[in-house]
Amino acid sequence: MPEALSVPLVDFVTHLASEKRHSPRTCEHYLRDLQRLGAWLTAMNIDQWSKVTSHDVRRYVASLSKSGLSGQSIARHLSSMRRFYRFLHREGRTKDNPALDIRAPKSGRRLPKVADVDQLNQLLDVNPDDPLEARDLAMFELMYSSGLRLSELAGLNQDAVDLVSGEVRVLGKGSKERLLPVGAKAAAAIRRWLKCRVRFAPDSEPAMFVSQRGSRLSRRSIQARLARWGRAQGADQRLHPHMLRHSFASHMLESSGDLRAVQELLGHADIATTQVYTHLDFQHLARVYDQSHPRARRRSGASTPDSSDRGSAGQ
C-alpha cells in the first residue's frame, strides 16, 4: 500500500486510541476494514484518499458483496469509511466524504443460535474430574448465568467477583462498567475453581481464569475449551461462547418479557440490538402454535407466506 494511503490510516488509529479512547480491539477492527479498502484502492491504481469518489465506493461495495460478505458486514465497512473520512475532512486532507450516501445491500436477518434449557442443563450439570475442568465449568456457568461477552469473561479479575453478594462487575464495550447478578450454580462452580486456582497462579496474577502456566486465559483458549467441552458432553452442535450469551438473553426474555431489563443486563447501548431476541421468542411460540393448534396444522409440503420466518435460527 502506498505511503500516501497508509500514513493517514496510522494517524486515524492513533486518533481513535488517544483522543476517543477506544479499546485496542476496536482500533484493530477499524484498521483491518480500512486496510482492506486500501489494498483494493492500490489494485485500482488509486493512490490518494482524496481521489476516491462515490463511484469508487460503490464498486468497492460490489466487490465486497461478490466476495461473500453479508449486508451487515458491508455496512460495518461503510461505517468505518465514513468515520475515517470525517477524520480526514477535519484534518483538511479531503474535501468530501465519498461514502456518505452509500448504502450496503440488504441481507436477511441472521438470528443468533441458542440452546434450550434442557440442552444447557445437560451441558453444565457435570462433576469436573480435574482442576482445568473445574475452571471450564466455572467459566461457562458464569457466562450463561450473567450473559457475559467473551471479552468480558477473558478480562475478568478476581476482585470483580463478589460471591457473598452474588455480583460480578464487568467492563463492557466502550469501557462501560456494569454490575450483574451471579446465579447460585455459577457461584458454586467459581468457589470450586478458586480452590484449584492456587495451584496454577501466583498471588500477583489478578485474572480470575488462568491457564496451566498461571497466566490469563486468552479468548481463543476459552473458545477452544468450550468447543472441547461440548464434544465431551455430546452436544449436537458446535458450541461457542456467544451461544451461551444468546441463550441467557433468550431465556431471560422468554421468562420475564422485560426487554429493557435484558438490554441492561447485556450492556446494549441501543435497544434495537436487544430486540433480535424478541424474534427468537416469536419463532418458538410460532412453532408451538403450529404443532399444537388443531386449525394451524399444515399438510406435508404445504407452504405459507410466513414459513420462511419460522425456520431455525442462524448464528
Side-chain angles (χ1 to χ4, degrees):
M1 189 188 305
E3 188 174 314
L5 293 178
S6 61
V7 169
L9 288 185
V10 174
D11 295 342
F12 175 60
V13 172
T14 301
H15 157 75
L16 293 178
S18 60
E19 294 184 36
K20 297 299 182 180
R21 300 196 178 279
H22 286 317
S23 69
R25 187 171 175 81
T26 298
C27 293
E28 286 173 15
H29 288 165
Y30 275 106
L31 182 60
R32 185 167 60 246
D33 288 350
L34 294 167
Q35 283 177 331
R36 181 167 181 170
L37 171 61
W40 183 86
L41 292 174
T42 301
M44 296 295 107
N45 296 316
I46 300 173
D47 57 1
Q48 299 279 347
W49 293 109
S50 59
K51 294 180 180 179
V52 178
T53 66
S54 58
H55 176 67
D56 296 323
V57 176
R58 289 191 180 90
R59 286 197 300 157
Y60 180 59
V61 166
S63 73
L64 293 177
S65 181
K66 189 175 181 180
S67 71
L69 259 64
S70 67
Q72 185 177 9
S73 295
I74 294 173
R76 191 199 70 227
H77 277 265
L78 284 168
S79 177
S80 297
M81 291 168 62
R82 282 190 284 268
R83 185 161 186 183
F84 175 52
Y85 268 96
R86 283 200 300 270
F87 166 77
L88 293 179
H89 186 266
R90 191 194 77 171
E91 297 292 307
R93 301 186 190 187
T94 186
K95 294 181 178 179
D96 55 16
N97 191 332
L100 196 58
D101 297 320
I102 310 299
R103 295 181 178 272
K106 290 185 178 180
S107 59
R109 179 191 291 268
R110 294 199 307 165
L111 299 180
K113 286 184 179 178
V114 299
D116 62 34
V117 175
D118 289 338
Q119 289 174 320
L120 282 169
N121 284 337
Q122 179 183 344
L123 178 71
L124 298 174
D125 285 346
V126 175
N127 290 319
D129 293 328
D130 59 55
L132 295 184
E133 284 191 1
R135 177 201 64 192
D136 293 349
L137 181 60
M139 289 193 301
F140 307 147
E141 282 278 17
L142 181 59
M143 182 168 277
Y144 176 55
S145 165
S146 306
L148 302 191
R149 296 181 177 94
L150 174 58
S151 59
E152 293 168 350
L153 184 73
L156 195 66
N157 289 335
Q158 286 190 88
D159 62 6
V161 180
D162 187 340
L163 295 177
V164 176
S165 62
E167 296 173 336
V168 58
R169 188 177 66 256
V170 300
L171 199 63
K173 289 186 175 179
S175 298
K176 292 181 179 178
E177 188 176 272
R178 67 189 193 280
L179 194 64
L180 300 170
V182 176
K185 295 266 189 185
I190 292 171
R191 287 189 180 97
R192 186 188 297 116
W193 157 240
L194 289 175
K195 293 177 181 177
C196 304
R197 184 186 176 281
V198 294
R199 307 182 195 178
F200 303 107
D203 293 339
S204 59
E205 175 54 62
M208 170 62 79
F209 299 111
V210 298
S211 67
Q212 284 180 292
R213 295 185 297 275
S215 58
R216 185 182 297 275
L217 203 63
S218 69
R219 291 190 295 262
R220 182 167 294 182
S221 294
I222 295 172
Q223 290 173 315
R225 293 296 293 189
L226 180 55
R228 178 181 180 275
W229 186 278
R231 291 192 298 270
Q233 305 310 320
D236 58 2
Q237 55 186 323
R238 188 178 186 279
L239 298 178
H240 54 86
H242 263 59
M243 184 182 290
L244 297 181
R245 176 171 159 87
H246 295 325
S247 299
F248 160 84
S250 182
H251 297 165
M252 286 292 297
L253 190 57
E254 285 175 15
S255 300
S256 70
D258 192 333
L259 191 64
R260 287 286 181 185
V262 175
Q263 177 193 4
E264 291 295 322
L265 289 168
L266 292 173
H268 287 161
D270 188 347
I271 198 168
T273 308
T274 318
Q275 283 174 330
V276 67
Y277 298 105
T278 65
H279 292 271
L280 289 171
D281 194 24
F282 175 76
Q283 283 191 338
H284 168 72
L285 293 174
R287 283 195 295 270
V288 171
Y289 176 84
D290 287 344
Q291 293 166 6
S292 306
H293 196 291
R295 302 287 286 182
R297 293 172 186 164
R298 302 179 186 143
R299 297 186 302 275
S300 177
S303 61
T304 63
D306 65 343
S307 61
S308 62
D309 292 332
R310 298 188 182 176
S312 58
Q315 182 176 337

